[in-house]
Amino acid sequence: MSLPSKAFQRWLHGIAPNTSTADVCRFSGVKRTTLAQQLVRGKVAESSLVSISRAFDMNPFDALAQFEAYAALRGTPVPPTDAELVSQVSTTDLLRAVVERSDPGEGVPPLVLAETPHGSSVRNWVDAIDDGELRHRVSGSTGIAPQNFSAHLTANRLPPELALATSRAAGVGPAGGLVASGLVTEAEAGWPPGARRDALDRMTDGELALLAGERLQALGKALRRHEHELDHSNRIWENLG
């Protein structure tokens, strides 16, 4: 989707009226050439706005909401569902939670969840909110081909506009996909502190074990696919001599 450069420049002037573009880039870590190219093209990447917002102590979630394309972020935040929260717990942490419940042990420090996003956060988030027809609805509303949508999930990435469209099609709050894709943090999106751990603790032992099993199965398939692709590449190189 990206942000219109004129609207971005108005926003930037509002938060840093006396700061040069060079200083903005230096403070935020955004390459000066990158921002210049985006401004010339008339489309500024959301990631640039997020980096600049953080550099000037502004919540990037609130900054995005100032743009018309992200009007859905305005107003009272919609809390994430438990399924969304648990989807942002890594598979490793999920397995640790299973072990923690099975054998608490004395003197063992409590599980501290890794930060979002994790290696399969995008796919897990979509799976958590999918009623079986979500991918078809997203394809119909955005025009993206189902195979291209699946490719995004496999690569664990989701463009912001597609994340919003997916949230809208699933009837959940607009923040989940932005957190899952790593554009904003859970705190920036307004998720309560410890919300993921609380949702994990609310799961029954059976629910936790079943989810861990599903995650392991998905991980196994991904590893096998990677091994197959690596083996195929090696054979090609061997044939080339």
Side-chain angles (χ1 to χ4, degrees), residues 10 14 19 26-27 29 44 50 54-55 69 109-110 112 119-120 131 133 184 186 189 198 208 216 222 229:
R10 286 195 299 271
T19 308
R26 182 163 55 86
F27 296 153
V44 177
V50 167
R54 289 170 178 160
V112 178
S120 57
D131 59 359
E133 297 295 328
V184 299
E186 51 187 321
D198 291 343
L208 181 59
L216 277 177
E229 292 171 351

Side-chain angles (χ1 to χ4, degrees), residues 64-81:
L64 283 167
Q66 295 183 30
F67 294 82
E68 194 57 37
Y70 289 89
L73 305 183
R74 300 169 188 168
T76 304
V78 179
T81 64

Side-chain angles (χ1 to χ4, degrees), residues 21-178:
T21 301
D23 283 340
V24 166
C25 291
R26 182 163 55 86
F27 296 153
S28 64
V30 177
K31 289 185 178 180
R32 188 175 179 179
T33 52
T34 298
L35 183 59
Q37 289 170 356
Q38 291 175 359
L39 290 172
V40 168
R41 289 199 303 265
K43 298 179 179 180
V44 177
E46 290 89 347
S47 58
S48 296
L49 177 132
V50 167
S51 296
I52 293 170
S53 298
R54 289 170 178 160
F56 287 89
D57 297 321
M58 183 177 189
N59 186 325
F61 192 82
D62 295 335
L64 283 167
Q66 295 183 30
F67 294 82
E68 194 57 37
Y70 289 89
L73 305 183
R74 300 169 188 168
T76 304
V78 179
T81 64
D82 274 9
E84 288 182 280
L85 290 167
V86 174
S87 77
Q88 297 313 295
V89 176
S90 71
T91 300
T92 300
D93 282 345
L94 204 61
L95 295 174
R96 286 174 177 156
V98 172
V99 173
E100 185 181 73
R101 288 200 191 183
S102 303
D103 183 19
E106 293 184 7
V108 178
L111 172 63
V112 178
L113 301 181
E115 298 293 327
T116 57
H118 59 81
S120 57
S121 54
V122 170
R123 177 179 290 280
N124 290 350
W125 174 69
V126 172
D127 287 344
I129 61 176
D130 190 0
D131 59 359
E133 297 295 328
L134 178 61
R135 288 166 171 77
H136 296 295
R137 292 199 299 274
V138 172
S139 179
S141 64
T142 64
I144 186 172
Q147 62 268 28
N148 291 340
F149 187 58
S150 295
H152 282 303
L153 304 188
T154 300
N156 201 45
R157 64 170 183 263
L158 203 61
E161 68 273 15
L162 195 52
L164 285 185
T166 304
S167 295
R168 188 162 49 247
V172 297
L178 303 182

